[in-house]
RNA sequence: GGACGGCUAGCUCAGUUGGUUAGAGCGACUGGUUUACACCCAGUAGGUCACAGGUUCGAGUCCUGUGCCGUCCACCA
């Protein structure tokens, strides 16, 4: 074995063998319980980020743990076509070639985009393999696959038939760069510092008299069709019904009263531009106002804006209108103003509220979706996200699902040629289209990407085709066991999947019939949702490509190994808290693997005979009569660790899992047990038993760790002869209760006092080492100690003497009846310990040290005495707490006394 | 404007129903070629638990308020 662990060769080799052996295949198996996860599909042309590493490592841990525990496990991978993002990239590339999408035409463009996707796509799936992800790759799904597309269309048609889908001319969020409508969720509000302009409007029946309006968008004045005041605003009792002159594109517009106007903002008057503001649009509807749409789809102004504004971009027009107003004397004031502006998530430009005809979805099964989470049929980890989820559902708005793109699922609606499209009589809605296609035109738009990915848990498993669902095991694997995703897509994806599952899984149910709880439980797409944190850089900023602060995970794998990366990232990922990335943690992950590797190397060096080493065989090799207190202690720690880790895995507390394993493996096993066993191994007494105990600990550690660091654990599993020809993937670490039962059957009964004793002895050893170290004797193993202790303590010390001597690095520890003179002393739970120094003791320094100790003991004692003298404490506190305090007091008083003795011995 | 999260050692974080003297890793410092591991071992220093009140015999932990940082939601032009 190499001195340092070399992950690269191991990882590639093992991954290949796992895959070729079909370890990751997820197949229904009536003999076993099911465990399933569907991957949150990444953008097909994306590359692996640290966020993916975190997310997919967690999923892999869950999948691998499930396999160990005997579940038939499916982790279903796939990718998303990412409508806007992909189309934008393809268009950019076309532009570089001097072409645009219209040159290619719809068919040509889609062909081109597919080629581009196939060329650049799927990289991320290869990267996930490098990370060790145990996905069933044969079941990889892409949202534009023919079967998946059928499912998307089928869902649309069903929703249409049940009255959930409708077409309407409404205010939508328009992205002038992508030139498509967006859903509310795709709009990000950003605080902006802009200007608030005060503009005057002249009353037409009183020339020279003006009304004043504050606006942030003077470029829309040409679209004003009214001024509005609040009906109960006492400042202007007589304005309603009169008229003002629009200062740009002059026209006479009415003054109306509407309670949506905020009296206290600006001048208390609102200009109404129904085409360019959602609130204005509503007010316009209420008052049957004209709609003047000034903008083109790219955000430039059209001919209705009039000269000189038509043709200008909206921001250019803002400046131009301000100048125009200023020169007319209509601009009264201009002040800095902070407000929130909605930006397009993808294109990062301000969205334009725009009136257009789109397809909308009234969400199905909203009430049931709320119930599913509020009743705990779906559990959120951390639980607090359920509040966010429920709040959103309480205020849910219809979903604009049509996108003016070509890349995506084309909406399965056809319009009778030459007839008005707004009339449903001229519609044909079906998956396969009309039988006389020559008489129809298909809708040009595609569906929002999320309107395909919300079907992910069912459509990846064959829905809605009966034979496909059966073949792919939908009923076996559904509801999936866990979903692992970021809270940023709780609305985009999680909530919508829940509603889709409730609506589509199982028999179609009438829209007006509330699903029963039993039905909800069967239809929900997953049982647990684990929300990861967001990975931030060392400065706390979100990792992003544009900031360039995100390391390439592949580089990290190259440097530290996939196991190292996985271990590192999981050790810093507290449940649902944001994660501060630091490469040092990844380094620690690597170091951990190396430690594991070297412990195994040590084990092989002690004895490299190959033998059968299943759990039972190992336990059989333990001779109960040869067990010493350290054996008892480590066996008990193993039992506790098995239970603790099991509990922590169940609660998705992965960083605690690792902490628990770390403590057992590194502190207890390596630093203590193994160091002490060295002497035993040399002397040969109880060596067989000691090796068996080591094997047992090591074996269980590998099993516990395997979900997190699959490669090295599998490699060592085989190298140490634990496998019996079988992969670690299918072996359960078991729990403490079962292990104790096995122990008992072999006559091994770990003594629980031994554990406490070991901890006390370790504390003693630490103090003794410190005593040496402070005198630069750390390296001298010939030093001699004396101890002054009562019979009971002396007996314990004698029992542990070999461990103590070898751990401390000392030659003797002899009992004395009185404090020896002139020696540095140490007062411990085991009595006073004296370090025999032939020379070089500085009595003054030793005295100072002991007096400092004395002081701190006195402080502790007085605080306990104070507590105990408080009648309220002794009466009200539980007896065990009071007894504890009393014991503590006695112990510290004894220590105080001994310390005083030691001081006087020093100067005697 | 609402809601949620965070504030504990120089840094990153543990601290589960209130109960002994608040922990770990990293970093710093000191010392180590003890044949598993320097990707290691041993030791040392370092904390008024953001602040102010309250409940309690007892508060890092529970309650109220404040501050700062972060996130999400919201039609104040």
């Amino acid at each position: 074995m190499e001195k340092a662990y070399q992950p690269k060769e191991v990882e590639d080799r093992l991954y290949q063998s796992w895959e070729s052996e079909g370890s990751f295949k997820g197949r229904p198996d009536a003999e076993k319980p099911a465990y399933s996860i569907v991957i949150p599909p990444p953008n097909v042309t994306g590359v692996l980020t640290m966020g993916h590493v975190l997310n997919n490592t967690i999923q892999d841990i869950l999948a691998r743990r499930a396999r160990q525990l005997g579940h038939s496990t499916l982790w279903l991978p796939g990718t998303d076509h990412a409508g806007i993002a992909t189309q934008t990239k393809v268009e950019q590339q076309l532009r570089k070639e001097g072409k645009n999408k219209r040159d290619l035409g719809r068919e040509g463009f889609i062909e081109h985009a597919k080629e581009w996707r196939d060329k650049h796509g799927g990289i991320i799936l290869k990267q996930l393999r490098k990370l060790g992800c145990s996905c069933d790759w044969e079941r990889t799904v892409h949202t534009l696959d023919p079967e998946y597309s059928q499912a998307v269309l089928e869902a649309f048609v069903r929703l249409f038939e049940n009255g959930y889908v409708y077409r309407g001319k409404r205010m939508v969020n328009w992205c002038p760069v992508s030139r498509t409508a967006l859903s509310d969720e795709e709009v990000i509000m950003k605080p902006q510092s802009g200007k608030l302009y005060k503009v005057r409007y002249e009353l037409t029946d009183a020339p020279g008299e003006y009304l004043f309006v504050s606006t942030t968008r003077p470029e829309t004045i040409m679209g004003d069709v009214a001024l509005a005041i609040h009906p109960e605003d006492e400042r202007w009792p007589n304005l309603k019904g009169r008229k003002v002159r629009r200062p740009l594109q002059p026209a006479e517009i009415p003054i109306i009263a509407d309670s949506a106007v905020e009296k206290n903002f600006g001048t208390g008057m609102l200009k109404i531009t129904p085409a360019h503001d959602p609130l204005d649009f509503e007010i316009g509807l209420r008052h049957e106002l004209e709609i003047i749409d000034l903008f083109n789809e790219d955000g430039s102004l059209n001919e209705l804006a009039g000269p000189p504004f038509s043709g200008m971009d909206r921001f250019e027009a803002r400046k131009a209108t301000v100048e125009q107003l200023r020169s007319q004397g209509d601009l009264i004031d201009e002040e800095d103003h902070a407000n929130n502006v909605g930006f397009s998530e993808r294109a990062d430009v301000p969205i334009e509220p725009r009136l257009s005809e789109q397809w909308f979805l009234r969400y199905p099964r909203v009430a049931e979706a709320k119930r599913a989470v509020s009743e705990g049929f779906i559990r959120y980890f951390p639980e607090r996200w359920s509040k966010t989820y429920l709040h959103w559902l309480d205020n849910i708005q219809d979903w604009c699902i049509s996108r003016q793109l070509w890349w995506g699922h084309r909406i399965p609606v056809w319009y009778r040629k030459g007839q008005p499209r707004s009339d449903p009589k001229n519609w044909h809605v079906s998956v396969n289209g009309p039988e006389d296609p020559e008489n129809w035109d298909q809708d040009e738009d595609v569906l929002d990407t999320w309107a395909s990915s919300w079907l992910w848990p069912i459509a990846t498993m064959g829905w809605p085709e009966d034979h496909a669902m059966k073949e792919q095991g939908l009923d076996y694997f559904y509801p999936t066991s866990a979903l692992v995703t970021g809270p940023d897509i709780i609305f985009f994806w999680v909530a919508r999947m829940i509603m889709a599952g409730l609506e589509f899984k199982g028999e179609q149910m009438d829209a007006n019939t509330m699903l029963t709880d039993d039905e909800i439980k069967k239809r929900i797409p997953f049982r647990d949702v684990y929300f990861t944190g967001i990975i931030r850089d060392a400065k706390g900023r979100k990792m992003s490509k544009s900031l360039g602060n995100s390391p390439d995970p592949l580089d990290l794998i190259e440097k530290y190994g996939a196991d190292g990366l996985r271990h590192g990232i999981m050790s810093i990922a507290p449940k649902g808290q944001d994660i501060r990335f630091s490469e040092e943690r990844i380094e620690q992950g690597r170091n951990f693997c190396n430690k594991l590797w070297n412990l195994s190397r040590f084990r092989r060096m002690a004895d490299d005979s190959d033998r059968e080493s299943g759990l039972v065989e190992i336990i059989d090799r333990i001779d109960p009569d040869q067990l010493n207190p350290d054996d008892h202690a480590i066996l008990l720690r193993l039992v506790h660790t098995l239970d603790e880790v099991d509990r922590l895995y169940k609660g998705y507390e992965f960083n605690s899992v690792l902490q628990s394993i770390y403590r057992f493996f590194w502190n207890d096993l390596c630093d203590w047990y193994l160091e002490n066993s060295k002497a035993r191994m040399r002397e040969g007494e109880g060596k067989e038993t000691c090796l068996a105990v080591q094997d047992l600990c090591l074996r269980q550690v590998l099993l516990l760790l395997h979900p997190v660091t699959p490669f090295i654990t599998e490699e060592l599993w085989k190298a140490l002869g634990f496998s019996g020809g079988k992969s670690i993937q299918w072996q359960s670490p078991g729990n403490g209760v079962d292990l104790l039962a096995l122990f008992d059957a072999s006559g091994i009964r770990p003594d629980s006092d031994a554990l406490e004793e070991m901890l006390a002895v370790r504390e003693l050893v630490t103090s003794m080492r410190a005593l040496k170290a402070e005198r630069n004797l750390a390296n001298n193993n010939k030093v001699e100690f004396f101890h002054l202790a009562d019979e009971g303590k002396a007996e314990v010390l004698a029992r542990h003497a070999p461990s103590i001597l070898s751990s401390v690095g000392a030659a003797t520890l002899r009992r004395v009846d009185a404090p020896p003179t002139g020696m540095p002393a140490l007062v411990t739970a085991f009595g006073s310990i004296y370090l025999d120094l032939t020379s070089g003791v500085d009595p003054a320094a030793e005295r100072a040290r002991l007096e400092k100790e004395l002081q701190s003991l006195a402080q502790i004692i007085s605080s306990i005495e104070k507590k105990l003298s408080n009648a309220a404490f002794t009466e009200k506190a539980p007896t065990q707490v009071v007894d504890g305090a009393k014991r503590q007091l006695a112990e510290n008083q004894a220590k105080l006394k001994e310390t005083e003795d030691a001081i006087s011995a020093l100067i005697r």
Side-chain angles (χ1 to χ4, degrees), chain A residues 334-384:
Chain A
E334 156 178 9
E335 60 184 60
D336 290 336
H337 180 66
N339 65 342
N340 281 325
V341 176
F343 275 65
S344 152
E345 191 197 24
R346 288 283 159 210
D348 198 34
V349 292
I351 58 110
E352 204 53 60
R354 185 167 196 244
L355 192 62
S356 73
E357 202 164 327
Q358 302 283 347
W359 288 99
F360 293 90
L361 175 71
R362 180 168 64 82
Y363 286 96
R365 307 292 167 201
V366 175
E368 290 95 327
K370 277 160 51 176
R371 202 168 162 71
V373 171
S374 62
E375 293 299 307
F377 305 147
I378 297 173
R379 300 189 300 165
Y380 279 4
F381 294 83
E383 205 278 328
R384 64 186 151 86

Side-chain angles (χ1 to χ4, degrees), chain A residues 74-298:
Chain A
L74 168 65
W75 183 11
L76 198 153
T79 52
D80 188 307
H81 64 282
I84 297 181
T86 306
Q87 174 153 342
T88 307
K89 276 190 210 159
V90 173
E91 282 189 65
Q92 270 168 7
Q93 193 222 350
L94 277 177
R95 228 169 291 139
K96 273 186 208 152
E97 294 167 14
K99 293 185 248 175
N100 70 47
K101 65 174 178 180
R102 266 159 256 285
D103 298 341
L104 280 83
R106 187 172 187 126
E107 300 296 311
F109 178 82
I110 289 172
E111 270 317 300
H112 183 79
K114 279 185 181 164
E115 280 167 28
W116 190 86
R117 173 194 68 191
D118 294 341
K119 189 174 159 201
H120 300 277
I123 295 170
I124 193 163
L125 299 183
K126 293 199 182 74
Q127 293 176 316
L128 287 174
R129 288 176 169 90
K130 288 293 264 184
L131 188 62
C133 293
S134 58
C135 303
D136 184 352
W137 298 110
E138 286 167 23
R139 295 188 65 159
T140 303
V141 177
H142 176 57
T143 46
L144 283 181
D145 285 347
E147 299 79 14
Y148 197 100
S149 301
Q150 285 289 106
V152 172
L153 302 187
E154 175 72 29
F156 179 92
V157 171
R158 286 196 196 179
L159 289 166
F160 176 81
E161 284 166 356
N162 287 317
Y164 290 114
V165 162
Y166 63 93
R167 185 174 169 82
K169 193 166 191 184
R170 301 195 4 191
M171 216 59 185
V172 297
N173 307 296
W174 184 263
C175 174
V177 169
S178 310
R179 301 190 193 185
T180 177
L182 301 174
S183 65
D184 295 343
E185 287 70 32
E186 287 163 292
V187 176
I188 300 180
M189 299 308 284
K190 290 194 192 181
Q192 298 289 304
S193 48
K195 298 261 189 231
L196 187 62
Y197 302 96
K198 198 187 215 178
V199 180
R200 65 175 192 185
Y201 289 62
E202 189 172 28
L203 281 159
T204 50
D205 57 9
E209 275 185 46
Y210 296 93
L211 299 180
F212 302 97
V213 173
S214 291
T215 179
T216 54
R217 302 208 60 191
E219 71 275 21
T220 63
I221 287 177
M222 299 79 82
D224 287 354
V225 293
L227 286 196
I229 54 171
H230 194 277
E232 282 145 35
D233 195 331
E234 287 151 10
R235 287 173 292 180
W236 6 83
N238 304 315
L239 277 181
K240 191 183 159 189
R242 295 170 68 185
K243 296 203 163 124
V244 292
R245 186 176 315 283
R246 186 167 64 201
L248 297 172
Q249 283 288 80
E252 201 175 59
I253 57 175
I255 298 167
I256 59 172
D258 193 292
S259 51
V261 177
E262 197 68 41
K263 282 187 280 189
N264 300 323
F265 186 87
T267 59
M269 289 196 185
L270 182 59
K271 71 185 201 61
I272 304 299
T273 321
H276 300 299
D277 183 277
L279 179 64
D280 292 10
F281 177 70
E282 268 177 44
I283 294 175
L285 279 184
R286 281 200 282 272
H287 298 266
E288 295 178 345
L289 298 172
E290 186 194 355
I291 292 167
I292 305 174
D293 186 348
L294 298 171
F295 287 171
N296 296 311
E297 62 173 29
D298 65 352

Side-chain angles (χ1 to χ4, degrees), chain A residues 23-39:
Chain A
S23 299
F24 307 154
K25 280 190 184 174
R27 298 288 177 270
D29 180 344
E31 306 289 303
K32 294 178 177 176
Y35 191 91
S36 55
I37 298 177
V38 288
I39 204 169

